[in-house]
Amino acid sequence: MSTTAPESSLELWPIGNCQVSGLIDRRGALVWGCVPRVDGDPAFCALLRGENGQDLGSWRFSLENQVSVSQEYVRNTPILRTRLEDESGGKVDVFDFCPRFERSGRMYRPVAFARMVRPVSGSPRLKITLTPMSGYGSQTAPLTHGTNHIRYLNDRHALRLTTNAPVGYILDERAFRIEKQLAFFLGPDEPFVGNISHELDAMLRMTESYWQHWVRGLATPIDWQEAVIRAAITLKLCQHEETGAIVAALTTSIPEAPNTQRNWDYRYCWIRDAYYTVQALNRLGALDVLEKYLAYLRNLVDDAHSGVIQPLYSVSGAREIIEWEAEALPGYRGMGPVRVGNAAYYQVQHDCYGQIIIPNIQAFSDHRLLRMGNVEDFISLEKVGELAWKMHDQPDAGLWELRTRTAVHTYSAVMNWAACDRLANAAQVLGLGDRQLVWRERADTIRSNIENGAWHKACGHYAATFGGKELDASLLQLVELRYVAADDPRFQATLQAVERTLRRGEHMLRYANEDDFGLPETAFNICTFWLIEALHLDGRDEEARALFEAMLAHRTASGLLSEDMDFETGELWGNFPQTYSLVGIINCAGLLSRSWRDWR
């Protein structure tokens, strides 16, 4: 095997426990991991250090004279097994996981990365490179050490590595023969109690059991089960369980296309992305994610000023997410800047009102939930609904978050129609007849305004903006939002226009017109999945299935997708793993799969 570090790629394997997460590369190195939570300082930031000095900001095991690396997840878990082999046939298995299991009546999910190295055959010699960083890559983390631990200071968060491996070999990065199981626990700065090897063995077993039992409760389709299960596990990893927030991706600043400056920090909770995530997981019966997210939303609604909702919040619910550039990090393949924070938090995006209300409506009628919605919850939601009603025909930045211009976006207006429509439904369930009438009348008025503003008579299709004629892929969501039926002639005409304008072979653009950075250079993966859904609803199942299989073929070895894809080469771009894209896998598999009854 070449000793030259390979070019960074999105061939990455997520691990996590809904408190902390990490990405393992195809060499078995931990190259991305933030502490003490997903939006924190990346102690492991090699992914964004360009092609020089990849070992800085990483944690890698390698064998002397190593010739191969193979990787796979332990079935139905985010536990990764990496096998390293040397030229003499020496082999070791590395198990990577973040502990997650019930202990003492609560979920144990520490800010910790656990790694175990088990000798398999031969006499392999192992080298350990562990160089966490601090201050967004500005310096290596200062360290102190004892006989069986090393303490690293990352910004204001100290991490302690406890291990039964020789600490001196780790500090010197010196290879040594591995003759027994080695255990590594990089976690809270406190003494590790018990035998490290035995304890991590137990943690591994309990973590494996937790995830496999969680998967056991999913209502998966018969076809494409493995793809759906992997997407569902990874979506759950994107939830910050402490608050219930769901982040859009685990990374920041992976470019949407090469050298474009389209580098954004997605480690926050976009109301839109989270809406699609809980919708997909809800279809699989993963109510635990929905319940925790609804609690997060209730807090946002309580804190909202006069019902005003931002497009995104921090995982703690904080409103202000100042955007700045981490100058010490060159960026993915050197394609900076690396941005921290996201200025979109102060944008005006009116679709978020519908995305707050729609998932909350389930709480008023789903008797499986531990906490169902009540009249007080409905009254709180009405504050958000008032904004949906007030803003449905006002300009905003739209779901694609344009930074330099605004318009009345059809998608936003339809989301606000859905907000009023669903509030009317909830009022009916609660027996609030007068409020049902109010919200039904408002929904009808918004519908009339959409038909007058968004339907372009000359072109014969819905437009992306009121009074405009341009198209974008969000128009394919009109059926999903129950605004129109799939066989409605207006939707049929719009589908044909969108496909003709935005489809690029196996892929779909968000839009084809110039934005703040010029013409789009990559396809947006969720839009391709929206097209697949529309093709199915149009009765073109054979074509839809072929396109779905093509998208699945573009997944990484870990079974995942990023945000964007080069529609000519198929290379993945954008932040990873992207919740939008994983939602598309789940939704399309559910639509296109055979039924279990037919299979039996």
Side-chain angles (χ1 to χ4, degrees):
M1 170 178 284
S2 171
T3 57
T4 303
E7 183 179 53
S8 294
S9 83
L10 295 185
E11 283 293 341
L12 301 167
W13 300 75
I15 59 172
N17 60 8
C18 304
Q19 172 66 41
V20 68
S21 57
L23 297 175
I24 310 295
D25 75 0
R26 53 191 167 179
R27 296 189 299 162
L30 177 60
V31 295
W32 184 256
C34 303
V35 293
R37 62 189 195 193
V38 64
D39 59 352
D41 187 6
F44 299 100
C45 55
L47 181 65
L48 299 184
R49 286 190 56 80
E51 302 314 313
N52 297 317
Q54 276 199 341
D55 280 342
L56 285 177
S58 72
W59 184 2
R60 182 160 66 95
F61 299 115
S62 58
L63 300 182
E64 280 190 345
N65 303 312
Q66 184 172 299
V67 294
S68 70
V69 180
S70 61
Q71 295 170 294
E72 65 179 358
Y73 280 120
V74 175
R75 179 176 174 268
N76 291 354
T77 76
I79 300 169
L80 177 63
R81 182 186 70 83
T82 301
R83 173 160 291 185
L84 310 177
E85 182 174 359
D86 65 26
E87 63 183 13
S88 301
K91 300 175 185 176
V92 300
D93 282 341
V94 181
F95 289 87
D96 283 298
F97 67 103
C98 296
R100 179 178 173 83
F101 49 87
E102 191 168 322
R103 187 172 76 175
S104 302
R106 64 182 180 84
M107 190 60 65
Y108 177 66
R109 41 175 172 76
V111 179
F113 302 96
R115 310 192 78 178
M116 300 177 66
V117 183
R118 293 175 177 171
V120 176
S121 64
S123 302
R125 291 176 58 81
L126 182 73
K127 177 182 175 182
I128 303 167
T129 304
L130 174 54
T131 55
M133 306 290 285
S134 182
Y136 277 87
S138 61
Q139 63 174 344
T140 55
L143 65 86
T144 58
H145 64 90
T147 55
N148 65 355
H149 79 272
I150 306 174
R151 180 179 182 272
Y152 300 93
L153 184 60
N154 171 263
D155 195 16
R156 290 167 293 178
H157 189 86
L159 292 170
R160 179 188 291 240
L161 174 72
T162 304
T163 182
N164 62 344
V167 168
Y169 289 159
I170 300 172
L171 294 171
D172 294 344
E173 298 184 4
R174 189 180 338 132
F176 61 97
R177 180 182 288 208
I178 175 171
E179 298 178 333
K180 65 175 183 178
Q181 174 173 284
L182 300 181
F184 303 82
F185 185 82
L186 183 65
D189 185 24
E190 56 193 37
F192 189 95
V193 178
N195 179 290
I196 181 69
S197 184
H198 295 167
E199 290 297 321
L200 257 63
D201 261 335
M203 288 185 184
L204 178 64
R205 290 194 303 271
M206 289 186 286
T207 300
E208 178 180 350
S209 177
Y210 166 82
W211 284 105
Q212 290 182 344
H213 278 81
W214 183 80
V215 167
R216 185 170 175 262
L218 298 179
T220 60
I222 179 61
D223 295 321
W224 305 294
Q225 282 188 68
E226 291 185 5
V228 169
I229 288 170
R230 182 53 52 200
I233 288 173
T234 309
L235 286 179
K236 184 170 173 63
L237 291 183
C238 290
Q239 181 167 61
H240 184 68
E241 191 169 70
E242 182 179 331
T243 62
I246 299 170
V247 299
L250 300 179
T251 59
T252 177
S253 302
I254 307 298
E256 293 180 11
N259 298 303
T260 59
Q261 301 283 305
R262 297 175 187 263
N263 300 12
W264 312 111
D265 191 350
Y266 277 9
R267 300 171 300 156
Y268 307 105
C269 184
W270 264 261
I271 299 303
R272 180 185 312 111
D273 299 58
Y275 155 74
Y276 281 107
T277 298
V278 296
Q279 178 195 58
L281 288 177
N282 190 42
R283 287 169 174 165
L284 300 178
L287 291 182
D288 58 332
V289 177
L290 172 66
E291 287 185 312
K292 292 179 176 66
Y293 180 62
L294 291 182
Y296 179 76
L297 289 186
R298 286 192 291 270
N299 278 304
L300 295 188
V301 171
D302 286 347
D303 292 339
H305 304 304
S306 302
V308 176
I309 299 296
Q310 295 179 182
L312 69 149
Y313 296 82
S314 79
V315 295
S316 70
R319 302 173 66 89
E320 192 173 63
I321 310 173
I322 302 299
E323 184 177 305
W324 55 280
E325 295 182 5
E327 296 182 356
L329 292 174
Y332 180 76
R333 299 186 187 174
M335 299 176 188
V338 172
R339 293 189 172 96
V340 181
N342 200 302
Y345 80 89
Y346 61 73
Q347 282 190 345
V348 175
Q349 296 177 29
H350 297 319
D351 57 313
C352 62
Y353 300 117
Q355 290 144 359
I356 285 278
I357 288 173
I358 293 174
N360 269 286
I361 296 304
Q362 182 173 339
F364 297 106
S365 57
D366 192 337
H367 289 264
R368 298 172 298 169
L369 298 176
L370 295 175
R371 183 195 183 282
M372 292 187 67
N374 54 37
V375 173
E376 288 73 22
D377 294 326
F378 178 79
I379 292 171
S380 293
L381 278 182
E382 283 195 301
K383 293 191 301 181
V384 180
E386 291 292 342
L387 267 294
W389 163 243
K390 180 180 179 181
M391 297 300 189
H392 77 270
D393 58 355
Q394 298 301 303
D396 71 350
L399 80 162
W400 308 126
E401 300 182 344
L402 300 176
R403 294 196 170 198
T404 59
R405 58 184 183 271
T406 62
V408 181
H409 288 91
T410 302
Y411 177 84
S412 296
V414 172
M415 267 294 178
N416 289 324
W417 166 84
C420 297
D421 176 75
R422 306 314 193 263
L423 282 171
N425 294 345
Q428 181 179 20
V429 170
L430 295 170
L432 304 175
D434 57 336
R435 302 310 299 164
Q436 178 187 357
L437 181 61
V438 167
W439 290 111
R440 182 60 59 211
E441 289 178 345
R442 289 179 173 180
D444 290 344
T445 300
I446 295 176
R447 174 181 285 278
S448 177
N449 290 340
I450 292 171
E451 293 302 312
N452 291 330
W455 181 256
H456 195 286
K457 292 182 180 179
C459 295
H461 59 68
Y462 288 108
T465 60
F466 281 22
K469 62 179 181 180
E470 70 277 11
L471 296 156
D472 77 29
S474 69
L475 295 169
L476 299 177
Q477 288 287 283
L478 296 181
V479 175
E480 171 64 30
L481 291 169
R482 304 205 304 265
Y483 180 78
V484 295
D487 59 358
D488 186 305
R490 291 194 169 196
F491 178 72
Q492 291 284 315
T494 302
L495 169 59
Q496 294 171 17
V498 168
E499 189 175 5
R500 182 173 60 252
T501 305
L502 302 181
R503 185 168 180 176
R504 300 292 185 272
E506 298 176 347
H507 309 283
M508 281 285 287
L509 303 180
R510 287 175 288 187
Y511 44 77
N513 50 301
E514 287 193 10
D515 60 16
D516 306 335
F517 296 87
L519 288 172
E521 298 180 29
T522 52
F524 205 62
N525 290 328
I526 187 59
C527 297
T528 305
F529 288 116
W530 287 349
L531 174 63
I532 294 168
E533 294 174 16
L535 294 176
H536 164 73
L537 294 170
D538 196 36
R540 297 156 63 183
D541 270 6
E542 184 176 345
E543 186 179 354
R545 290 175 72 94
L547 189 54
F548 184 49
E549 291 283 5
M551 284 298 291
L552 293 180
H554 287 297
R555 292 175 300 158
T556 61
S558 59
L560 305 173
L561 289 168
S562 62
E563 181 182 39
D564 306 273
M565 193 182 302
D566 187 308
F567 49 79
E568 294 181 352
T569 68
E571 183 174 8
L572 295 177
W573 290 91
N575 283 306
F576 179 90
Q578 175 69 18
T579 53
Y580 262 158
S581 302
L582 304 183
V583 162
I585 292 174
I586 292 172
N587 289 346
C588 290
L591 284 174
L592 299 173
S593 174
R594 297 167 295 166
S595 72
W596 280 95
R597 183 176 60 185
D598 293 341
W599 180 76
R600 293 185 184 125

